[in-house]
Amino acid sequence: MGSMSELTYAVIGAGAMGYRYGILLQEAGKKVDFIDAWEPNIEAVKEQGGVWVSRDHEGRHLVPVNLYRPEEYTGNPDVWIIFLKQMQLEDMLKRCAHLFKDHQVAFSAMNGWGHFEKINQYFSTDRIYGGTAIIATVLNGPGDVDFIGKKGTGSMHMCAMNEHITDIERAIADDFTAAHMNPEITTDFKGTCMAKIVFNSVVNTLCTMYQITMGQFADYEGSHEMTQQLVSEAYAVCEAAGIPMINSVDEEVESIEYASRVGNPLHYPSMYQDMIHGRPTEVDYINGYIAQLGREHNVDCCTHAFLTHGVHLAERAFQIHHAQEK
């Protein structure tokens, strides 16, 4: 591994969040490569000579990036950053397996739960770092990304899967700090990751079902009560499962409301973006995961179970309307 101050990175999944992390690290002077499997994205980047980057729909400019298919890549990064949809992860890890080496570590702040077991098949527990990213980004299309929020807005947590803070974790956090991503290291792996699942189980799900922005949700007079109900139900199951949470229920509710009202009021969450582009949503790994955890620990998570169906119904309704319009 290179010296801790000179870590090299490769991002698996050049989508909205993969581009956000990779480009900000690149702008902070780090060596970053990107690996992707979406052909229109790869072709657009090769044709354009980079990726178009805007911030809050303004200042669109071309950023040169090194983008490869898994089969073409010959690099040997110190750190893999993994940002894929849950449904795509298994196949992509298989395609990248020949690139993974014992000295490398993996960091992922994907939505939902289920990715760490898959990453663990290729990286030992002491080389996996999980995280949460409260950072809004939109992929407008192939080779075209929009960073939502002013420079330096957004926050993230990171935690070692084995809960031991290491020199490399500190070095990654230093690089994330240089890239204006405001990382905070924690030592409670599952609690850290569950905090983002709970966050997404409110905003992503409800904004998707009702096709509204985070700000429009926050403006609804009943949004506080809805948020409180979903967070309380999720926290009850976390308590039964022995998962300590970093925030109290009230703090979690407040952080969701702040992000919706102040942080990203104009933002349509990623689940909504998946639905309107005809991609399957990750609701089964978010509300569906909370409901499943409830079944395993005899805690009734009926609201989360109901909303899992609600999003699938919204997906179907969207497809039907879309087909009729054609």
Side-chain angles (χ1 to χ4, degrees):
M1 185 170 291
S3 77
M4 289 300 177
S5 60
E6 290 303 324
L7 293 175
T8 58
Y9 293 84
V11 178
I12 299 177
M17 291 299 289
Y19 275 138
R20 178 83 172 240
Y21 269 68
I23 287 166
L24 290 179
L25 283 167
Q26 195 170 288
E27 287 175 353
K30 304 299 158 190
K31 184 184 182 319
V32 183
D33 294 322
F34 295 83
I35 295 179
D36 202 35
W38 187 33
E39 284 300 322
N41 191 38
I42 295 165
E43 282 156 26
V45 168
K46 288 194 191 307
E47 202 174 297
Q48 297 161 184
V51 57
W52 289 104
V53 179
S54 325
R55 191 177 280 276
D56 291 331
H57 321 316
E58 291 173 3
R60 191 167 179 262
H61 62 289
L62 195 67
V63 175
V65 293
N66 300 320
L67 179 63
Y68 306 87
R69 296 173 184 86
E71 293 74 19
E72 300 167 336
Y73 188 56
T74 56
N76 178 16
D78 299 311
V79 184
W80 294 99
I81 294 177
I82 302 170
F83 271 114
L84 293 155
K85 296 294 174 189
Q86 291 278 359
M87 300 74 78
Q88 303 164 338
L89 180 62
E90 201 162 4
D91 184 54
M92 192 60 158
L93 288 173
K94 273 185 197 147
R95 286 180 64 179
C96 293
H98 64 288
L99 299 166
F100 300 146
K101 299 185 172 57
D102 287 347
H103 70 84
Q104 299 168 334
V105 301
F107 167 82
S108 183
M110 286 167 51
N111 284 343
W113 187 264
H115 45 303
F116 296 112
E117 292 94 330
K118 296 183 182 88
I119 294 168
N120 199 193
Q121 291 168 17
Y122 300 91
F123 293 86
S124 54
T125 309
D126 60 330
R127 294 186 296 125
I128 296 174
Y129 297 89
T132 63
I134 311 287
I135 298 171
T137 312
V138 175
L139 192 67
N140 297 322
D144 188 340
V145 68
D146 192 357
F147 299 171
I148 309 296
K150 294 181 181 62
K151 199 167 188 170
T153 54
S155 62
M156 60 168 291
H157 288 91
M158 57 187 298
C159 184
M161 196 168 179
N162 68 0
E163 302 185 340
H164 295 302
I165 298 174
T166 58
D167 289 343
I168 187 161
E169 183 178 16
R170 288 193 189 93
I172 296 168
D174 287 346
D175 288 349
F176 285 164
T177 299
H180 306 291
M181 286 187 285
N182 308 316
E184 190 180 319
I185 294 177
T186 64
T187 51
D188 170 19
F189 184 74
K190 198 147 189 190
T192 299
C193 299
M194 278 303 292
K196 181 70 190 301
I197 294 172
V198 173
F199 180 96
N200 286 345
S201 76
V202 179
V203 176
N204 279 31
T205 305
L206 294 172
C207 289
T208 300
M209 282 173 66
Y210 298 107
Q211 298 185 35
I212 53 175
T213 63
M214 289 169 67
Q216 287 165 337
F217 167 64
D219 285 342
Y220 169 57
E221 60 191 22
S223 65
H224 177 77
E225 208 173 305
M226 294 173 86
T227 303
Q228 191 95 31
Q229 180 175 338
L230 285 164
V231 172
S232 299
E233 195 172 278
Y235 270 52
V237 75
C238 287
E239 192 177 335
I243 303 168
M245 302 301 283
I246 1 181
N247 292 336
S248 67
V249 170
D250 289 345
E251 286 168 341
E252 187 69 17
V253 169
E254 197 180 315
S255 85
I256 290 167
E257 291 178 341
Y258 182 85
S260 303
R261 197 180 301 283
V262 182
N264 299 299
L266 304 178
H267 185 55
Y268 288 97
S270 60
M271 193 184 284
Y272 168 85
Q273 293 166 42
D274 285 338
M275 182 179 79
I276 63 161
H277 289 109
R279 299 187 293 259
T281 68
E282 295 178 288
V283 71
D284 291 337
Y285 300 90
I286 299 171
N287 301 78
Y289 177 68
I290 294 169
Q292 178 199 323
L293 209 55
R295 287 189 290 274
E296 288 168 10
H297 294 276
N298 296 319
V299 176
D300 189 359
C301 290
C302 56
T303 320
H304 286 282
F306 184 84
L307 288 186
T308 307
H309 287 298
V311 171
H312 286 314
L313 186 56
E315 288 177 280
R316 182 167 297 183
F318 191 87
Q319 287 162 359
I320 291 166
H321 293 320
H322 206 59
Q324 286 169 346
E325 281 168 11
K326 284 181 179 173

